[in-house]
């Protein structure tokens, strides 16, 4: 049996503190804790943090979640009427029927029209699956990038400075510039007279 690496033991420590470590790993973790002082101190820190979290847990009154959710305005897509989705759905259906008629060969083959519709449906299914896979890969990549950023204090500091600079840039772009105050007619006339006397 392979001996787990140190990162695995650290994951097991978190699971143990949460009470979800499987029994088969508990004996290995206990043996490792006898020899590793770093893991023992990490376990103590995790237990202390768990104690602080339990002591500072605030009781939530019954019905609080429902009260908060009912007071929030509906999201934009939730507030839309079902009629707003009817036009895109009708356009997709019309395109599918047109593709079935054009590729089905007219009245000659009813089965070819059905196979064309099945092919169009398969295309939509493949598109949805590809989109879901791309979304999952994007989130996975962002998670790995974030993990690398917080891995060292230097990269975390550089990232913090970058975020600060972007925020300052956005604030300076969003700040409205005040128009210059226009001179009163009397000040403009006195300036014109002073300029012509030279």
């Amino acid at each position: 049996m392979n001996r787990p690496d140190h990162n695995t033991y650290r994951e097991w420590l978190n699971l143990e503190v949460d009470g979800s470590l499987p029994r088969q790993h508990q004996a290995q973790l206990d043996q490792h804790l006898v020899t590793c002082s770093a893991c023992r101190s990490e376990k103590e820190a995790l237990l202390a943090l768990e104690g602080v979290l339990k002591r500072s847990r605030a009781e939530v009154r019954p019905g609080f979640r429902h009260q908060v959710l009912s007071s929030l305005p509906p999201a934009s897509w939730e507030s839309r009427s079902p009629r707003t989705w009817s036009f895109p759905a009708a356009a997709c259906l019309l395109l599918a029927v047109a593709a079935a008629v054009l590729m089905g060969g007219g009245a000659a083959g009813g089965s070819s029209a059905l196979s064309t519709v099945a092919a169009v449906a398969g295309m939509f299914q493949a598109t949805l699956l590809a989109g879901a896979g791309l979304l999952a890969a994007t989130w996975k990549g962002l998670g790995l990038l974030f993990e690398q950023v917080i891995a060292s204090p230097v990269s975390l500091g550089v990232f913090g400075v970058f975020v600060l600079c972007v925020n300052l840039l956005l604030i300076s772009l969003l700040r409205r510039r005040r128009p210059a105050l226009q001179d009163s007619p009397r000040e403009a006339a006195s300036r014109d007279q002073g300029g012509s006397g030279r």
Side-chain angles (χ1 to χ4, degrees):
M1 183 170 154
N2 289 342
R3 186 177 173 86
D5 63 353
H6 205 72
N7 289 331
T8 305
Y9 286 125
R10 294 180 73 193
E11 290 175 16
W12 289 357
L13 280 173
N14 287 308
L15 291 174
E16 183 188 31
V17 170
D18 291 340
S20 56
L21 181 67
R23 290 181 191 166
Q24 65 265 21
H25 300 312
Q26 185 67 50
Q28 283 183 295
L29 180 62
D30 290 338
Q31 287 176 356
H32 176 73
L33 287 173
V34 170
T35 60
C36 183
S37 61
C39 285
R40 279 196 308 270
S41 63
E42 184 168 349
K43 181 179 178 179
E44 291 171 4
L46 286 171
L47 289 172
L49 178 63
E50 184 73 16
V52 168
L53 291 175
K54 283 182 180 177
R55 285 190 304 272
S56 64
R57 181 178 296 160
E59 292 297 322
V60 179
R61 66 180 181 267
F64 178 74
R65 180 177 184 269
H66 176 70
Q67 183 182 5
V68 169
L69 290 177
S70 63
S71 67
L72 293 174
S76 60
W77 63 272
E78 290 173 334
S79 61
R80 291 183 185 163
S81 169
R83 291 185 207 170
T84 59
W85 300 104
S86 61
F87 178 73
C92 287
L93 183 63
L94 182 64
L95 287 174
V97 169
V101 169
L102 291 175
M103 302 177 102
S111 65
S112 62
L114 289 176
S115 64
T116 304
V117 170
V120 170
M123 180 185 69
F124 281 125
Q125 181 183 8
T127 304
L128 286 175
L129 287 175
L134 182 62
L135 182 63
T138 301
W139 280 111
K140 180 78 172 176
L142 287 175
L144 291 173
L145 178 66
F146 185 69
E147 185 177 311
Q148 289 296 323
V149 166
I150 63 171
S152 74
V154 174
S155 60
L156 187 61
V158 169
F159 181 72
V161 169
F162 173 73
V163 169
L164 180 66
C165 291
V166 169
N167 285 332
L168 290 175
L169 177 67
L170 287 175
I171 289 171
S172 67
L173 290 175
L174 293 175
R175 187 180 347 149
R176 294 183 182 175
R177 299 188 185 260
R178 295 182 182 171
L181 296 175
Q182 295 181 353
D183 294 335
S184 65
R186 187 176 292 169
E187 290 175 353
S190 65
R191 189 180 317 124
D192 289 339
Q193 289 174 356
S196 62
R198 287 182 185 170

